Amino acid sequence: MTFGAPIVTKIRPHVKRPSTAYGNGTFDCHMMIAEPKKWVKDFQKAGCDLYCFHYEAAINSTAAETPADRSEAKTSPKEMIRYVHGQKMLAGVAIKPDTPVDVLWDILDNAEKEEVPDMVLVMTVHPGFGGQKFMASELPKVQALRQRYPDLNIEVDGGLSEATVDQAAEAGANVIVAGSAVFGANDPADVITKLRAAVEKRR
């Protein structure tokens, strides 16, 4: 875990909580971990607003609710979403490049609204480290999601920069994650402005 709950706790007092869902100040915590349910409560207490877990982890991980707990029971993506909502946070589900997008249809079409995610994250690199090349091969997943769910928040993460954001936004992504492109820039604020503009002009 790159940035754990203690770091979120330290930053939260310096960033005003959003007054509306997805507003300025939203802490979107992307949990690239094998047992996502164990950390929900810690991140909620730390000040997380949106807890995004990986579909691949949620289909094969323990239902234990804290890092110290043990449980033979398993969780599921729908159960995870319900649990995150029960902790008064928005819930996101991420899929890796090797995962087909249609695994999400049953989740997104669920009549139980507490088990429907608020956001879907399509990874445009393989999870693990920063600075990887953007995988345009994943954009058909974004297009399929946007066609089926016009109002869904669709996030892309991996290799996003001024050179690739237009492709992602054109496919239908409206939430952009950029690491190296921002923190490696001479003028991070300018890069953020340009990334935001790419999305806004396609709304």
Side-chain angles (χ1 to χ4, degrees):
M1 194 181 299
T2 306
F3 297 106
I7 293 179
V8 176
T9 301
K10 291 293 186 180
I11 299 173
R12 182 77 273 179
H14 301 282
V15 180
K16 187 177 179 180
R17 298 295 291 257
S19 57
T20 59
Y22 313 107
N24 288 343
T26 295
F27 278 21
D28 170 359
C29 297
H30 175 193
M31 308 302 294
M32 286 194 286
I33 53 177
E35 297 183 340
K37 190 171 184 179
K38 286 187 173 184
W39 300 95
V40 172
K41 289 181 178 179
D42 280 1
F43 274 78
Q44 190 277 333
K45 291 176 183 176
C48 171
D49 301 297
L50 190 156
Y51 190 93
C52 184
F53 62 89
H54 273 261
Y55 169 89
E56 301 84 2
I59 60 173
N60 193 37
S61 62
T62 177
E65 295 187 8
T66 72
D69 287 349
R70 298 289 181 268
S71 174
E72 294 300 318
K74 297 294 184 181
T75 190
S76 71
K78 290 180 182 178
E79 192 277 333
M80 272 293 303
I81 294 164
R82 178 178 286 277
Y83 186 71
V84 172
H85 283 156
Q87 298 297 315
K88 308 303 181 186
M89 292 184 288
L90 299 171
V93 180
I95 54 171
K96 298 190 294 187
D98 294 335
T99 302
V101 70
D102 59 9
V103 301
L104 298 175
W105 300 163
D106 179 60
I107 299 169
L108 289 163
D109 293 336
N110 190 358
E112 295 289 335
K113 296 308 179 186
E114 283 302 301
E115 297 178 352
V116 176
D118 303 287
M119 184 187 77
V120 168
L121 164 56
V122 176
M123 293 296 296
T124 45
V125 297
H126 290 285
F129 57 94
Q132 296 182 62
K133 185 177 179 181
F134 176 74
M135 295 173 66
S137 59
E138 302 312 295
L139 294 182
K141 296 178 183 178
V142 176
Q143 292 170 333
L145 283 161
R146 181 57 67 214
Q147 288 169 5
R148 286 179 66 107
Y149 310 102
D151 299 322
L152 178 67
N153 281 307
I154 304 171
E155 183 174 76
V156 285
D157 182 358
L160 274 302
S161 67
E162 294 175 61
T164 57
V165 67
D166 284 318
Q167 297 176 62
E170 192 65 36
N174 67 313
V175 184
I176 306 296
V177 176
S180 301
V182 172
F183 292 102
N186 291 327
D187 187 347
D190 181 61
V191 174
I192 292 170
T193 297
K194 290 174 180 175
L195 296 176
R196 182 177 285 121
V199 172
E200 292 296 334
K201 72 181 181 182
R202 290 173 172 83
R203 285 187 183 273

